Amino acid sequence: LFASPLFLACSGILVLWRVLSSRGFCPASTMYDASKPMSCITIKKQRADIEQVISMSRSHPRPRLEPDDGRMIVRTLAVSLAPGDVRVLRGHLFFQDPPSFPYIPGGDMCGEVVEVHAGEERFKVGDVVMVLFEEAPRNALAEFVKVKCNLATFKPANTTPIQAAALPSSAMAALTAAERYVRPGDRVLVLAGSG
């Protein structure tokens, strides 16, 4: 997987997003305005060479909150592309196929809260959070993402946004495997554990 052109292209998407973000395409603002367009990466179909189906849009509609839907809007700081993202891009997970095309790829992310639903008590505007994708890895490679509050947690203070974006799925998979299969006294191998 890690030597495949698709993985390298996905890595390139993340690098491209970081470059665009650093050049001011993702400006921080104190007031979120859902009426303005946003920049995002889109995929126009599956099962094709990534170079043929990927594009950058600067006129995509921003997400809007619905009253009391338990969600918030997060300005993207970093996105993690995992094997699940690659499988969706290739069309190998029919149960996670996008409902329509084009769609915005990427699931796990780290970002700054810019708007919260009425009654939200845990998060506030300005908080930096990391978010696990909902149902399928979609919508994170955009300036702004609407996320479920119960799938978010605060970014650990000792991590960068890039490190935090990589935690939700990977850390959850490791925790689930450890809780399910590792018992007191078991010996385990931690790959890349030396940092």
Side-chain angles (χ1 to χ4, degrees):
L1 170 70
F2 294 108
S4 75
L6 185 56
F7 176 80
L8 296 175
C10 287
S11 298
I13 292 170
L14 184 56
V15 170
L16 170 66
W17 188 253
R18 283 190 42 77
V19 168
L20 292 174
S21 298
S22 68
R23 291 187 181 164
F25 287 96
C26 301
S29 64
T30 55
M31 293 295 294
Y32 178 73
D33 185 351
S35 68
K36 293 183 178 179
M38 69 174 181
S39 297
C40 65
I41 302 291
T42 61
I43 302 293
K44 61 183 174 184
K45 68 178 185 175
Q46 294 172 312
R47 299 177 184 88
D49 289 336
I50 190 75
E51 297 85 9
Q52 297 172 355
V53 299
I54 190 170
S55 64
M56 173 88 179
S57 171
R58 290 196 174 92
S59 59
H60 199 80
R62 288 185 182 186
R64 296 176 182 267
L65 286 182
E66 302 296 326
D68 300 322
D69 69 352
R71 297 175 190 269
M72 60 186 169
I73 306 292
V74 176
R75 183 178 64 87
T76 302
L77 297 175
V79 174
S80 170
L81 297 175
D85 297 283
V86 174
R87 289 189 290 272
V88 170
L89 284 168
R90 288 184 173 164
H92 293 169
L93 296 175
F94 68 91
F95 59 91
Q96 289 187 335
D97 279 351
S100 63
F101 291 92
Y103 81 98
I104 301 170
D108 296 339
M109 53 98 62
C110 177
E112 177 186 0
V113 176
V114 295
E115 187 176 49
V116 296
H117 71 91
E120 172 57 37
E121 296 177 0
R122 186 170 174 214
F123 300 108
K124 65 183 183 319
V125 172
D127 287 341
V128 179
V129 296
M130 54 187 197
V131 184
L132 176 68
F133 67 83
E134 176 185 355
E135 296 178 21
R138 287 194 285 275
N139 300 321
L141 280 171
E143 280 185 87
F144 300 96
V145 184
K146 181 166 67 169
V147 302
K148 278 189 166 182
C149 293
N150 66 352
L151 295 177
T153 192
F154 295 101
K155 179 187 83 62
N158 62 345
T159 62
T160 67
I162 293 171
Q163 292 166 332
L167 288 175
S169 288
S170 298
M172 186 59 71
L175 178 62
T176 300
E179 289 177 342
R180 188 173 293 165
Y181 300 109
V182 179
R183 299 290 172 246
D186 285 353
R187 295 176 79 185
V188 297
L189 171 65
V190 179
L191 299 175
S194 64

